[in-house]
Amino acid sequence: MSIAALIVAAGRGSRAASVGAAPKQYALIGGRPVLSETIAVFARHPNIDAIQVVIHPDDRPHYQAAVADTCTDKLRMPIPGGATRQASVRAGLEALAAQGEAPDIVLIHDAARPFVAAETIAAVIAALETHKGALAACRVSDTLKQGAADNSVRATVPRQDLWQAQTPQGFHFDAILEAHRRAEDAQRQDFTDDASIAEWAGLTVALVESPARNIKLTTADDIAFADREMRALRMFEPRFASGFDVHRFAAGDHVWLGGVKIPHTHRLEGHSDADVVLHALTDALLGTIGDGDIGQHFPPSDPKWKGAASSLFLEDAMRRVSARGGRIVNADVTILAEAPKIGPHRPAMQATIAKILGLSSDRVGIKATTTEGLGFTGRREGIAAMASATVLLPSS
Ligand code: MG
């Protein structure tokens, strides 16, 4: 079954005219045009196979700029719309029908609704298994008043059973194309959405509950709201990185692992306290901000770090992340060793690392494994540690 999204972007949107020269669907929210955000939702949705945008013929330069950084092979060439929304949708449907393989399902969506949830798209598609049409809608929550000409209240309208129509509105493709053709033949050009054309044509249309957040950006205030929302969404980007370290055993009676002193038959040899866990974790953190590695910041050739507690290195990496405005989300370590047993020391390691990184201990993973007697760890020649960390950094 093939599913196309038909995005209607041909309107002139006079109500948001104060936004600037470009129609509202090209206004910038969080630094990107509204239409780019809307296309992106459908482009990354796994159920959508093709995206057809209907634009105003005057908007080609705006459109080209809006899709310049859109990486998807779903997007078809835009087609010019008509004088009304209904005519634009009709043009889009005819274009899809003319492209050889017409889709089985079409989801018609307003370009000015960039906050549509992926779940809503999936729910509309699911409703089409039992109905010819389905639309996203939200229940009316405000009390409704009918006003008289002088703005006095004439009546209170019962809101029970009332829904606000949104998009996407999904249909069996052949059925909605036929309904649109019949509406035009009947010279009905006053429909404001496609569900009402489907209803007029006698198709049953299902209501699919959708969050009120899926608003149609209409006024300059709506655009300002959307701009703040998008900026908030995009404020941080996740960074993930890994680290690895090995130290060999030497004569001694304890090792430092994860900032915890553990009695053992040997010590780990190194310039500092040779805490492989903290070293691997330090490198993982440095990796999230592309800031070199532990050896670059604390050269073994520098006597200053002889015998140093490795918590210093992790604290330094933590400061470097903080200086970039970063927030550590979690840290995770796997220790590769035949001995000592890590389990009894896990809570102490977790607590120590959590304290240095300012995390709750459920955000610090400590795991250990033997290597089944294989390799240098298996021969008990040393201990290795692998670490990873996730950091949220302010987006540039
Ligand atoms: Mg090391």
Side-chain angles (χ1 to χ4, degrees):
M1 189 176 70
S2 68
I3 303 178
L6 178 59
I7 298 177
V8 195
R12 297 334 271 149
S14 53
R15 276 177 293 181
S18 59
V19 167
K24 68 184 179 192
Q25 58 271 37
Y26 299 103
L28 298 184
I29 53 173
R32 294 184 69 205
V34 172
L35 179 60
S36 304
E37 296 290 351
T38 305
I39 290 174
V41 178
F42 288 90
R44 60 179 175 250
H45 200 287
N47 297 138
I48 301 297
D49 303 302
I51 301 170
Q52 174 69 65
V53 184
V54 185
I55 65 172
H56 192 283
D58 294 348
D59 292 346
R60 280 189 188 280
H62 292 309
Y63 178 84
Q64 290 308 334
V67 300
D69 64 348
T70 300
C71 294
T72 175
D73 55 6
K74 298 180 182 180
L75 191 59
R76 307 274 175 88
M77 291 294 287
I79 61 136
T84 62
R85 186 184 186 285
Q86 184 180 336
S88 293
V89 172
R90 166 81 193 274
L93 294 172
E94 295 290 356
L96 285 169
Q99 285 166 8
E101 198 107 325
D104 301 305
I105 297 287
V106 62
L107 300 190
I108 301 168
H109 188 72
D110 298 325
R113 291 188 197 269
F115 294 116
V116 59
E119 293 82 359
T120 300
I121 294 171
V124 168
I125 292 169
L128 294 173
E129 287 171 19
T130 48
H131 295 78
K132 290 284 188 190
L135 76 147
C138 84
R139 291 178 187 276
V140 170
S141 60
D142 292 329
T143 299
L144 295 179
K145 302 292 183 187
Q146 187 179 36
D150 65 352
N151 277 2
S152 64
V153 174
R154 177 182 294 158
T156 297
V157 181
R159 70 177 180 214
Q160 195 193 0
D161 301 336
L162 288 186
W163 297 68
Q164 281 178 278
Q166 303 176 343
T167 67
Q169 301 191 347
F171 306 93
H172 291 222
F173 182 79
D174 293 342
I176 194 66
L177 177 61
E178 173 67 19
H180 263 270
R181 286 174 176 169
R182 275 176 53 199
E184 189 158 304
D185 291 346
Q187 299 197 318
R188 287 289 309 268
Q189 288 155 1
D190 51 340
F191 293 107
T192 53
D193 76 347
D194 301 287
S196 51
I197 296 176
E199 295 155 39
W200 171 82
L203 305 176
T204 57
V205 181
L207 288 160
V208 172
E209 189 145 21
S210 159
R213 176 181 167 74
N214 180 24
I215 61 165
K216 184 175 182 179
L217 306 182
T218 306
T219 65
D221 276 350
D222 294 340
I223 300 288
F225 161 80
D227 185 45
R228 287 193 300 274
E229 284 288 298
M230 282 297 175
R231 281 179 197 282
L233 280 177
R234 212 174 294 127
M235 211 172 278
F236 288 93
E237 62 180 39
R239 298 282 188 93
F240 174 83
S242 64
F244 180 72
D245 194 33
V246 173
H247 282 266
R248 68 167 73 235
F249 282 129
D253 61 5
H254 68 273
V255 294
W256 285 93
L257 290 175
V260 176
K261 187 176 178 180
I262 300 173
H264 191 50
T265 53
H266 292 78
R267 68 180 170 92
L268 288 173
E269 191 173 69
H271 191 64
S272 63
D273 65 9
D275 188 328
V276 285
V277 170
L278 296 191
H279 292 187
L281 199 48
T282 299
D283 270 356
L285 276 188
L286 292 172
T288 64
I289 52 171
D291 192 358
D293 62 17
I294 192 169
Q296 180 188 330
H297 298 300
F298 302 97
S301 54
D302 188 339
K304 195 160 52 168
W305 310 117
K306 182 149 179 60
S310 296
S311 53
L312 284 178
F313 308 150
L314 188 59
E315 284 159 7
D316 176 78
M318 167 76 188
R319 268 193 299 274
R320 288 170 188 273
V321 170
S322 298
R324 298 275 302 273
R327 253 172 31 208
I328 299 169
V329 177
N330 77 307
D332 186 50
V333 180
T334 301
I335 301 163
L336 294 85
E338 299 294 321
K341 284 230 172 304
I342 302 302
H345 306 285
R346 189 196 319 266
M349 286 190 212
Q350 252 182 323
T352 303
I353 293 170
K355 184 153 184 250
I356 295 171
L357 300 182
L359 297 174
S360 55
S361 54
D362 68 318
R363 289 172 185 264
V364 177
I366 302 287
K367 293 105 58 207
T369 181
T370 69
T371 51
E372 301 277 348
L374 299 172
F376 67 86
T377 52
R379 293 189 299 270
R380 299 175 185 247
E381 293 168 5
I383 295 181
M386 305 188 302
S388 61
T390 312
V391 163
L392 289 178
L393 271 197
S395 303
S396 39

